[in-house]
Amino acid sequence: MRIIRKLSALILLLVLAMAGTALAQDKTVLLQSKNWDPIVKQTLNDAMTRFGKTASDYDPSIRPYAVFDFDNTVAILDVEEQLAIYQLENLAFAIPADKMYDVLTTGIPNPDAELGGDYGKHTVASVARDAAEAYKKLCAKGWVKVDNYKDQKNRPWLKSSDWQEFATKARWLYSAIGDSMDVSVSYPWITYWFTGMTPAQVHDMAYTAFVDYDQKSKAKDFWKKLSWTSPKDYPGAKAGQLTVSFNQGVTVSPELLELFAALEANGIDAWICSASFTDVITAAVKAFNIPGVNGVVAMTNKKVNGVYANEYDYDFHAQTQGPGKAESLDKLVRPLYRNAGPMLVAFDSQGDFNFCTVYKDTAVGLGLNRARKDDAGLLAAIAVYQNKKNITLEESLKAGDTRYVLQGRNENGGYLWARPEIQALGKDKPVLLSSKAEGWLKMLESGTTPKQLLDQAPSLTGKLKTYEGYKTR
């Protein structure tokens, strides 16, 4: 009898344990970190409860999905920009010595046109020639190798005037082209530095760089602004001495890693759509240990004999910036979900505006705040307005709106904090909205609806020539 009772008790305990496990699996996995802004955390948790696998109408055959921008959204600061510094410091190129000028001027509408007063009225052609001539000298010394980064202890070129001339002027061109030309020119331009490399070589270089940077990111003094200056009297230099400044710092916060893990646990797919290069982003996903990424849609160039050429691959998909992000998602991602749009989108800047506003199925827009003056500032103004009105996710869904939220961070140390403001790198005060966004907030408070505000985007910001409209796809 005692044996039977013991067996019965053990069976009961086993049944209860199994029931407890089943119940635990039926619960929504929620965000826990204290560094989320409270409204952001509540809204994201509400979304995972409403659309995740514990929802009564969840359909595993057509899972909801999220789409994230990467630079300055998933990552704090920009992985492509930080990799450019790494590539220059390590002279990790596969471009022949006599082809660097051609690569540095690829896609530039008129290389001989003056860039304007902010850039000393220099031309892309003159600065590119200086950089290319210095690059030839570095190649002649045997210092340029695609896998130089594997030997961090032996980099004699860093003290040479040839490297200072090449590195400074190549990086200067990136800033000048980015500031003075359309993004359809500047975004692919930096990817042409991978010309002559195989996809595996780009991936391995990027992975090694991001593992190194992630380790360094733990130190607060890693996050800072740096500058390079070319030699004063470099022989043959047409553009003279130039200086370029840039940000140092990149990581993926524990909070974003937590979000990706929670989405996966709740049966929600996650995609990345980035204006950085495909192999760079796949390497970053691996290096930063980002869980639950179902796929990457990003910039990609054509290949010739297995190596990258300095030509964007439009046959594959549009450039993944601006309207091209939505076009690429329509071509590559939405067909996998019976043409449904993303339930959650995450953004930081102008290049994300279209894919974060045009889909009818988008319930939540997560903004990593950068106090923008462009169309992302319109979304920031809506987020602040919705916060002030205490609008819940359910209320925004009933109104047919996306619930936009703003997550803040401090770039001086590279971490998220539980507030919506951003303190940008090198700044000593946090900011919630740009002055332009504050004006758009006043429009909302005066009766303009989110739809009316967004549909006026081309006239309000001047960034888009045309805009199809809020929730039109």
Side-chain angles (χ1 to χ4, degrees):
M1 183 65 72
R2 289 181 179 177
I3 294 175
I4 293 174
R5 287 176 179 172
K6 286 182 179 180
L7 284 173
S8 298
L10 287 172
I11 291 171
L12 179 60
L13 288 172
L14 181 60
V15 170
L16 289 172
M18 292 174 66
T21 301
L23 287 171
Q25 291 174 342
D26 287 339
K27 291 183 178 179
T28 304
V29 175
L30 302 177
L31 301 177
Q32 302 295 330
S33 173
K34 295 180 180 179
N35 291 330
W36 287 108
D37 173 87
I39 295 176
V40 172
K41 179 160 59 172
Q42 184 64 57
T43 304
L44 291 174
N45 284 339
D46 287 347
M48 290 187 288
T49 301
R50 170 64 184 80
F51 295 99
K53 63 183 181 182
T54 61
S56 59
D57 58 351
Y58 179 82
D59 183 353
S61 71
I62 179 173
R63 290 158 62 102
Y65 68 99
V67 178
F68 292 78
D69 170 59
F70 200 87
D71 294 304
N72 279 300
T73 300
V74 174
I76 298 179
L77 300 191
D78 191 303
V79 294
E80 188 92 74
E81 290 186 0
Q82 196 62 60
L83 181 62
I85 299 302
Y86 188 84
Q87 190 175 7
L88 289 169
E89 288 180 335
N90 288 283
L91 285 180
F93 292 87
I95 301 169
D98 61 347
K99 297 296 182 183
M100 180 56 82
Y101 176 80
D102 292 338
V103 169
L104 293 178
T105 55
T106 297
I108 306 302
N110 183 2
D112 293 312
E114 290 185 355
L115 292 171
D118 289 344
Y119 288 94
K121 296 186 177 181
H122 293 296
T123 67
V124 169
S126 64
V127 179
R129 286 192 185 97
D130 287 353
E133 288 303 311
Y135 180 77
K136 286 180 182 178
K137 296 176 183 178
L138 294 165
C139 289
K141 293 177 181 178
W143 282 346
V144 179
K145 295 179 181 178
V146 73
D147 61 352
N148 268 338
Y149 59 88
K150 294 182 179 180
D151 183 8
Q152 292 290 307
K153 295 181 180 180
N154 184 27
R155 296 188 291 178
W157 53 82
L158 291 176
K159 295 181 180 180
S160 72
S161 59
D162 294 330
W163 179 82
Q164 293 166 3
E165 176 77 355
F166 168 63
T168 299
K169 291 187 174 178
R171 183 57 180 78
W172 185 94
L173 282 170
Y174 173 73
S175 292
I177 292 169
D179 288 347
S180 60
M181 298 184 189
D182 189 82
V183 290
S184 63
V185 174
S186 61
Y187 275 45
W189 182 87
I190 189 67
T191 70
Y192 300 148
W193 290 16
F194 304 135
T195 298
M197 298 174 72
T198 67
Q201 287 171 332
V202 177
H203 184 279
D204 187 65
M205 176 180 67
Y207 174 76
T208 304
F210 298 144
V211 168
D212 179 50
Y213 284 134
D214 192 38
Q215 293 173 347
K216 292 177 178 177
S217 72
K218 308 301 188 293
K220 187 174 181 180
D221 62 358
F222 174 67
W223 299 84
K224 57 189 174 184
K225 290 184 175 290
L226 296 176
S227 64
W228 288 343
T229 300
S230 63
K232 185 176 182 180
D233 298 309
Y234 189 79
K238 302 297 183 183
Q241 188 177 42
L242 297 177
T243 295
V244 63
S245 299
F246 52 88
N247 294 335
Q248 176 178 276
V250 69
T251 194
V252 175
S253 70
E255 290 71 36
L256 265 295
L257 296 178
E258 180 189 29
L259 176 55
F260 274 90
L263 290 171
E264 182 180 33
N266 291 314
I268 301 169
D269 290 348
W271 287 78
I272 291 169
C273 188
S274 171
S276 285
F277 203 60
T278 298
D279 302 314
V280 173
I281 297 301
T282 57
V285 169
K286 180 181 177 182
F288 295 115
N289 296 307
I290 304 174
V293 176
N294 292 81
V296 170
V297 181
M299 302 284 276
T300 185
N301 294 342
K302 289 191 173 181
K303 294 187 284 290
V304 178
N305 296 324
V307 301
Y308 285 118
N310 48 323
E311 180 182 1
Y312 190 82
D313 190 357
Y314 289 101
D315 295 331
F316 187 17
H317 58 72
Q319 287 188 30
T320 41
Q321 50 83 15
K325 283 195 173 187
E327 292 173 23
S328 299
L329 291 172
D330 287 351
K331 182 178 181 179
L332 300 175
V333 178
R334 287 180 69 193
L336 304 176
Y337 298 88
R338 301 178 198 167
N339 216 37
M343 176 275 292
L344 166 68
V345 293
F347 65 93
D348 76 286
S349 65
Q350 175 66 37
D352 308 319
F353 177 76
N354 289 76
F355 93 87
C356 290
T357 60
V358 298
Y359 294 116
K360 296 176 182 178
D361 298 313
T362 301
V364 178
L366 169 61
L368 278 297
N369 194 8
R370 293 178 64 205
R372 301 286 294 195
K373 302 175 183 178
D374 55 22
D375 290 331
L378 294 170
L379 303 182
I382 292 172
V384 172
Y385 171 76
Q386 291 173 323
N387 287 355
K388 287 186 173 183
K389 290 292 185 177
N390 297 314
I391 296 173
T392 65
L393 174 63
E394 194 60 35
E395 289 169 341
S396 67
L397 291 173
K398 287 180 180 179
D401 283 325
T402 296
R403 179 56 163 103
Y404 292 101
V405 291
L406 276 185
Q407 174 61 49
R409 69 188 184 202
N410 191 336
E411 294 177 351
N412 301 281
Y415 56 89
L416 268 57
W417 53 15
R419 54 195 297 188
E421 294 87 357
I422 179 174
Q423 187 166 327
L425 190 66
K427 302 296 183 180
D428 57 4
K429 293 181 181 179
V431 177
L432 178 60
L433 295 174
S434 67
S435 57
K436 286 189 175 181
E438 288 175 350
W440 299 325
L441 174 60
K442 290 180 181 178
M443 290 176 63
L444 291 164
E445 292 173 337
S446 298
T448 301
T449 67
K451 173 177 172 52
Q452 290 169 339
L453 186 74
L454 295 180
D455 286 345
Q456 296 179 65
S459 61
L460 289 175
T461 69
K463 297 295 182 180
L464 292 172
K465 295 178 181 178
T466 61
Y467 174 58
E468 67 187 82
Y470 179 50
K471 290 189 177 292
T472 50
R473 297 192 195 183

